[in-house]
């Protein structure tokens, strides 16, 4: 079953390139043609002109490399005069000499870098800045987009090779969080190829950055506390009311990992993922509702579902963000682990209050199935 919704898929394929246009390593006047070429390539991909898209990706890659190489050469030339060398390696001191010398080429380059990265990012070291610049010769945005083009053409193995190259060079992303979009794209492609082990590997790239996540035997204390609550409490009041976690970027990964583990009969892996995903889902709804109404307070799981469903924008956002799907998955994992009373509680609330008709209808079907099984057991 493909768990990657069309809306989320389109977002993850496009977000990296939209972001690259709006936020570059250097400010717009210095960013050259690379980002413009990627924008053209993205438009060509969306219109089905794959040949043009690939050509523009390569041109963008070359333009970016030439641009950064030019900056390195310009700064090396500007740092070489004796007056500048006397300032030592302290970046702020070097910058001050550059300003005093009215070296507008070097000043413009440095100002553009400092627009997005503070001096502290380089340890106030001129040599560290130069080393950092040398690592920016790579252009993972172009590899990511080229992978999307080959994916659209059905060349899955080739697409994956470009995705993996972009992942190796992920430190070069202008927007660091784009690595998550890339990890999701790789996971989605692996699923489409039927490589579920690889799908798990790529999804784990996302959740391993979550401080609350841990593999079996290496769970952090908070996760162990969450799991103890699920194993000891007869209701979910404490679970939904006590714990909060706001790692929204990881929620789709937790949802898909939960389903993957459940379908492959690995309940010991499914429950932690589903529990963390459910907490993120409720935390996200709580944050959205309190953001719309500062007097809003959490009054229980049924209440938060009802309140979110009354706001069409929040309800739609929750659907697109996989919040409803995550809560549905959480209930399914509980049921698969024979935690029938807890699962029935979640399903009952989803059936009554969830604004997503598919989720509420599915919950009603499961509840009826549970009811029929109980009746058969009493006969």
């Amino acid at each position: 079953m493909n768990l990657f919704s069309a809306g989320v898929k389109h977002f993850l394929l496009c977000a990296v390139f939209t972001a690259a246009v709006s936020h570059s390593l250097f400010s717009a006047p210095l960013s050259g043609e690379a980002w413009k070429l990627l924008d053209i390539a993205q438009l060509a991909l969306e219109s089905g002109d794959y040949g043009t898209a690939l050509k523009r990706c390569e041109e963008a890659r070359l333009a970016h490399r030439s641009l950064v190489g030019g900056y390195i050469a310009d700064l090396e030339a500007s740092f070489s005069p004796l007056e500048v060398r006397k300032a030592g390696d302290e970046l702020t001191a070097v910058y001050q000499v550059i300003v005093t010398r009215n070296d507008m080429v070097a000043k413009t380059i440095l100002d553009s870098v400092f627009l997005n990265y503070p001096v502290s990012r380089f340890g106030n070291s001129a040599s560290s800045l130069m080393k950092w610049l040398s690592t920016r010769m790579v252009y993972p945005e172009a590899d990511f987009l080229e992978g999307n083009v080959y994916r659209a053409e059905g060349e899955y193995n080739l697409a994956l090779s470009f995705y993996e190259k972009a992942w190796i060079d992920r430190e070069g992303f202008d927007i660091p969080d784009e690595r998550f979009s890339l990890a999701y794209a790789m996971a989605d492609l692996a699923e489409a190829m039927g490589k579920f082990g690889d799908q798990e590997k790529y999804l784990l790239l996302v959740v391993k950055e979550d401080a609350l996540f841990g593999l079996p035997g290496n769970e952090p204390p908070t996760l162990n506390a969450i799991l103890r609550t699920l194993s000891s409490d007869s209701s979910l009041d404490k679970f939904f009311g006590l714990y909060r976690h706001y790692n929204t970027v990881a929620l789709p990964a937790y949802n898909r990992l939960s389903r993957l583990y459940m379908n492959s009969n690995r309940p010991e892996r499914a429950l932690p993922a589903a529990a963390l995903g459910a907490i993120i889902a409720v935390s996200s709804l709580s944050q959205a509702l309190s953001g719309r109404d500062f007097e809003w307070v959490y009054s229980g799981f049924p209440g938060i579902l009802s309140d979110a469903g009354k706001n069409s924008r929040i309800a739609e956002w929750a659907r697109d963000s996989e919040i409803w799907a995550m809560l549905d998955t959480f209930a399914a994992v509980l049921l698969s682990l024979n935690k029938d009373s807890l699962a029935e509680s979640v399903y009952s609330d989803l059936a009554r209050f969830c604004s997503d008709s598919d989720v509420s209808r599915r919950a009603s079907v499961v509840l009826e199935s549970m009811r029929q099984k109980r009746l058969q057991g009493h006969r």
Side-chain angles (χ1 to χ4, degrees), residues 6 62 84 93 125 165 178 213-214 222 308 344:
L62 294 174
V84 180
S125 165
K165 182 178 183 300
E178 287 169 9
F213 176 78
T222 301
E344 186 171 13

Side-chain angles (χ1 to χ4, degrees), residues 13 17 38 40-46 48-57 141-156 158-160 162-163:
L13 290 180
F17 309 109
L38 271 193
I40 295 171
Q42 175 64 29
L43 293 173
L45 169 60
E46 292 174 356
D49 187 354
Y50 303 139
T52 296
L54 291 173
K55 182 179 180 181
R56 297 294 177 261
C57 281
E141 288 89 348
D143 294 321
F144 192 176
L145 181 49
E146 195 158 350
N148 286 343
V149 176
Y150 284 118
R151 175 178 175 176
E153 289 187 312
E155 298 285 349
Y156 287 176
L158 195 54
L160 193 56
F162 277 93
Y163 285 162

Side-chain angles (χ1 to χ4, degrees), residues 48-118:
D49 187 354
Y50 303 139
T52 296
L54 291 173
K55 182 179 180 181
R56 297 294 177 261
C57 281
E58 180 59 24
E59 290 173 352
R61 190 180 290 109
L62 294 174
H64 177 81
R65 187 176 183 84
S66 175
L67 179 77
V68 178
Y71 293 157
I72 292 173
D74 287 339
L75 288 178
E76 286 176 342
S78 293
F79 290 174
S80 63
L82 180 60
E83 185 181 357
V84 180
R85 285 188 281 118
K86 283 182 177 180
D89 191 51
E90 186 178 327
L91 186 53
T92 51
V94 170
Y95 180 80
Q96 187 57 52
V97 176
I98 292 293
V99 172
T100 301
R101 287 171 55 84
N102 199 29
D103 184 343
M104 295 308 298
V105 172
K107 181 180 183 300
T108 303
I109 294 172
L110 292 173
D111 285 345
S112 184
V113 172
F114 298 153
L115 183 66
N116 296 320
Y117 301 92

Side-chain angles (χ1 to χ4, degrees), residues 115-279:
L115 183 66
N116 296 320
Y117 301 92
V119 172
S120 60
R121 168 67 174 77
F122 313 105
N124 198 22
S125 165
S127 59
S128 293
L129 181 144
M130 295 300 290
K131 289 178 182 178
W132 173 81
L133 269 178
S134 68
T135 68
R136 310 298 288 196
M137 298 287 282
V138 297
Y139 203 22
E141 288 89 348
D143 294 321
F144 192 176
L145 181 49
E146 195 158 350
N148 286 343
V149 176
Y150 284 118
R151 175 178 175 176
E153 289 187 312
E155 298 285 349
Y156 287 176
N157 287 319
L158 195 54
L160 193 56
S161 70
F162 277 93
Y163 285 162
E164 289 179 337
K165 182 178 183 300
W167 183 261
I168 291 172
D169 295 332
R170 63 189 179 280
E171 294 295 327
F173 273 127
D174 280 338
I175 300 178
D177 280 0
E178 287 169 9
R179 70 190 183 280
F180 296 122
S181 296
L182 175 60
Y184 278 120
M186 291 191 291
D188 184 36
L189 184 57
E191 182 186 21
M193 298 170 72
K195 296 182 176 181
F196 301 111
D198 287 343
Q199 180 193 12
E200 176 189 4
K201 177 180 69 175
Y202 296 134
L203 291 173
L204 285 173
L205 294 176
V206 178
V207 302
K208 281 183 177 179
E209 294 195 38
D210 186 350
L212 294 193
F213 176 78
L215 295 173
N218 194 35
E219 298 92 344
T222 301
L223 178 55
N224 281 326
I226 291 169
L227 297 177
R228 282 196 300 271
T229 298
L230 285 175
S231 65
S232 61
D233 288 14
S234 58
S235 77
L236 291 168
D237 292 343
K238 179 180 177 182
F239 175 80
F240 283 128
L242 178 62
Y243 300 108
R244 289 292 177 264
H245 190 38
Y246 298 95
N247 189 358
T248 53
V249 73
L251 188 145
Y254 281 127
N255 184 34
R256 293 162 206 166
L257 282 170
S258 300
R259 289 284 178 180
L260 189 65
Y261 292 143
M262 186 170 57
N263 294 337
S264 58
N265 196 29
R266 288 184 282 175
E268 77 285 353
R269 300 292 297 273
L271 184 59
L276 287 172
I279 290 170

